[in-house]
């Protein structure tokens, strides 16, 4: 990826709804060239999708937590594809260390969060950390500095 690709990515990360015309104006490239570069970034898998960023509390999910799961073997939460479909689970990350995975969850209430913990218990030992606030909710990706 070159500097122009990164310029496009900076703009798209800030506002993915920009038209090719507006993108071309911002990065000083023709709209067809912008469209071609964005298409290549999508096809190469650098751009994996375009999403609306939601305020979880205003969307009815005021209880946000990270849950570490200590489970290994056939009953591991990572081996059950149904778990990924549970509506409270936003992300599942496979990790190193004492836990096998960390789940980011958003529930509508403490009661529904407690029910989620109970649903996870058969998979192993859940250990939860409640999110009080998110000072850095989303960070744009920039090129790494040279080593």
């Amino acid at each position: 990826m070159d500097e122009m690709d990164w310029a496009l990515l900076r703009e798209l990360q800030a506002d993915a709804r920009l038209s090719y015309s507006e993108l071309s104006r911002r990065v000083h490239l023709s709209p067809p060239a912008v469209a071609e570069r964005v298409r290549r970034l999508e096809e190469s898998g650098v751009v994996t999708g375009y999403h609306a960023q939601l305020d979880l509390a205003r969307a009815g999910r005021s209880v946000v937590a990270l849950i570490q799961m200590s489970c290994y073997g056939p009953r591991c939460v990572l081996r059950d594809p149904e778990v990924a479909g549970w509506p409270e689970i936003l992300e599942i990350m496979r990790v190193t260390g004492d836990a096998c995975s960390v789940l980011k969850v958003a529930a509508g209430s403490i009661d529904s969060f407690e029910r989620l913990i109970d649903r996870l218990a058969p998979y192993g030992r859940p250990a939860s950390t409640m999110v009080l606030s998110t000072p850095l909710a989303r960070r744009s990706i920039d090129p790494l500095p040279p080593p």
Side-chain angles (χ1 to χ4, degrees), residues 24-79:
S24 73
R25 188 186 68 71
R26 291 183 183 197
V27 300
H28 310 291
L29 202 62
S30 72
V34 164
E36 175 60 24
R37 280 181 174 263
V38 170
R39 184 190 58 75
R40 275 188 305 176
L41 289 166
E42 292 168 345
E43 288 177 353
S44 68
V46 173
V47 174
T48 59
Y50 300 89
H51 312 278
Q53 188 172 341
L54 305 181
D55 181 309
L56 291 171
R58 291 183 183 180
R61 307 284 188 95
S62 58
V63 178
V64 178
L66 301 175
I67 302 173
Q68 288 187 356
M69 291 297 298
S70 295
C71 54
Y72 298 94
R75 278 299 287 168
C76 180
V77 72
L78 294 171
R79 297 190 194 283

Side-chain angles (χ1 to χ4, degrees), residues 10-129:
R10 276 190 289 277
E11 295 296 336
L12 288 172
Q13 288 178 92
D15 184 357
R17 296 180 65 180
L18 292 173
S19 67
Y20 289 145
S21 296
E22 180 60 21
L23 270 172
S24 73
R25 188 186 68 71
R26 291 183 183 197
V27 300
H28 310 291
L29 202 62
S30 72
V34 164
E36 175 60 24
R37 280 181 174 263
V38 170
R39 184 190 58 75
R40 275 188 305 176
L41 289 166
E42 292 168 345
E43 288 177 353
S44 68
V46 173
V47 174
T48 59
Y50 300 89
H51 312 278
Q53 188 172 341
L54 305 181
D55 181 309
L56 291 171
R58 291 183 183 180
R61 307 284 188 95
S62 58
V63 178
V64 178
L66 301 175
I67 302 173
Q68 288 187 356
M69 291 297 298
S70 295
C71 54
Y72 298 94
R75 278 299 287 168
C76 180
V77 72
L78 294 171
R79 297 190 194 283
D80 188 343
E82 288 184 24
V83 173
W86 295 2
E88 303 90 352
I89 296 178
L90 304 179
E91 292 182 56
I92 300 175
M93 295 158 271
R94 186 174 183 187
V95 298
T96 61
D98 293 337
C100 70
S101 59
V102 175
L103 288 62
K104 181 178 179 182
V105 303
S109 67
I110 291 294
D111 287 341
S112 62
F113 176 73
E114 187 175 1
R115 286 191 299 276
L116 175 62
I117 293 293
D118 291 343
R119 286 171 61 200
L120 287 168
Y123 293 94
R125 185 179 54 83
S128 62
T129 302

